[in-house]
Amino acid sequence: MGLFDIFKRKEETIKADRLVVEDEDAEATAEEAEAVEEEDFEDFAKEAPEDRAENGPFDRGEIEAEGAYLDLGALRIPMREGLALRLEFEDKTQRVIAVGLDYEGSTMQVQAFASPRSSGLWRDVRTKLAAQVKKQGGRAEEKVAEVGTMLRTSVPIVQGSDKLRVVQFLGVDGPRWFLRGVVSGQATSDEAKLEQMIEIFRGVIVDRGDRPVPPRDLLALTVPEAMANQMAASAAQQRAQRTAMAAKQREQQAGQ
């Protein structure tokens, strides 16, 4: 499976405690964004591995993104053999809202959000996620790993069913950003595969950018030129196939 083999359109925006603003049409000015950053958010300490600056996830100013990285704007993804990447789009705005990474039977969705200068988001986010999961009849428990505190959740696939969907949330507070990973698949039951996904997660570089962004807003992702060209070529091919099919149907109808 190649790097650009999978493209998935997300039907509904995935949020972690409303980390994406509801009103997509309202854009804050630079002054408003800075003012929001100074509002009284609950003051939780930033949570990150002690060696984050050395071993990731990295801030753009801490490492040169040289070699096998894919530049997606706010995120630079470390590429490796066997890793397939897809972009997830929001239907309403057609903006890219997440990066999906598939590797050896496991999947991880990655998103980066703006955060306050002096406090973190991860403790608050996972607490509210756990409450939401329990409200749905599921279970949530915290566990400590190399990347810090993780949240393991399990929710019935159908209400009242014994079959559970297991998802593990990773979170790291960086300098003015919060990076979230949502892991599913084999890594939720296989520690060795979970370590592989954590390794990929820790290799991510976050580019917060210089533009003021209100805390908890999604940092902008962009489509690389190679991927955009492939998407355009695929769309053109699909249009040509539909045109040919329509012409064939007209011929068949004319011959009847």
Side-chain angles (χ1 to χ4, degrees):
M1 183 175 293
L3 175 61
F4 301 144
D5 284 347
I6 302 178
F7 295 96
K8 178 181 178 182
R9 176 167 294 166
K10 197 67 184 171
E11 295 299 333
E12 182 178 345
T13 303
I14 294 180
K15 302 179 181 180
D17 179 35
R18 294 167 56 91
L19 285 178
V20 181
V21 292
E22 293 284 352
D23 186 358
E24 303 295 350
D25 296 324
E27 295 185 3
T29 64
E31 293 77 10
E32 289 171 338
E34 289 290 359
V36 170
E37 290 205 17
E38 300 305 324
E39 287 181 0
D40 292 331
F41 286 97
E42 194 161 1
D43 190 15
F44 292 113
K46 288 183 179 292
E47 295 189 20
E50 292 184 0
D51 62 347
R52 185 203 61 74
E54 293 76 31
N55 294 311
F58 301 100
D59 184 73
R60 181 67 182 86
E62 295 168 342
I63 186 173
E64 290 298 325
E66 298 177 351
Y69 279 88
L70 183 65
D71 187 348
L72 298 171
L75 297 176
R76 287 168 172 77
I77 305 297
M79 302 313 300
R80 60 170 66 190
E81 185 176 354
L83 180 67
L85 177 147
R86 66 180 180 275
L87 299 181
E88 299 184 359
F89 295 85
E90 186 177 52
D91 282 341
K92 179 180 177 181
T93 62
Q94 287 301 292
R95 70 168 177 166
V96 184
I97 59 170
V99 181
L101 303 173
D102 297 325
Y103 188 70
E104 295 188 358
S106 303
T107 294
M108 178 168 60
Q109 182 202 66
V110 183
Q111 292 172 301
F113 303 86
S115 74
R117 292 184 178 87
S118 58
S119 60
L121 298 179
W122 180 218
R123 180 180 172 186
D124 184 45
V125 166
R126 70 172 183 268
T127 298
K128 292 178 179 177
L129 277 170
Q132 293 169 18
V133 167
K134 291 175 182 177
K135 188 175 181 180
Q136 295 174 24
R139 296 192 298 271
E141 59 177 346
E142 294 186 356
K143 56 182 292 188
V144 178
E146 168 203 338
V147 74
T149 302
M150 300 171 53
L151 184 68
R152 179 181 175 86
T153 67
S154 54
V155 178
I157 296 176
V158 179
Q159 190 171 6
S161 170
D162 293 332
K163 294 184 178 181
L164 302 175
R165 180 172 185 264
V166 180
V167 174
Q168 300 208 109
F169 292 86
L170 316 177
V172 169
D173 291 307
R176 300 184 67 208
W177 50 259
F178 166 62
L179 184 67
R180 187 193 70 176
V182 185
V183 179
S184 58
Q186 295 180 16
T188 60
S189 59
D190 186 320
E191 286 297 321
K193 289 186 178 295
L194 177 59
E195 289 177 7
Q196 291 177 336
M197 302 312 286
I198 290 176
E199 181 182 351
I200 294 170
F201 183 74
R202 296 200 68 176
V204 172
I205 300 173
V206 180
D207 188 350
R208 170 64 172 72
D210 298 325
R211 185 175 65 87
V213 181
R216 299 177 183 260
D217 271 23
L218 184 70
L219 296 179
L221 295 168
T222 58
V223 182
E225 183 178 359
M227 189 176 285
N229 290 341
Q230 182 174 347
M231 293 172 70
S234 177
Q237 183 179 17
Q238 291 176 8
R239 287 195 299 270
Q241 289 173 345
R242 288 195 296 268
T243 300
M245 185 176 298
K248 185 175 182 180
Q249 289 175 345
R250 288 195 297 269
E251 289 176 1
Q252 291 174 343
Q253 290 171 356
Q256 291 178 352

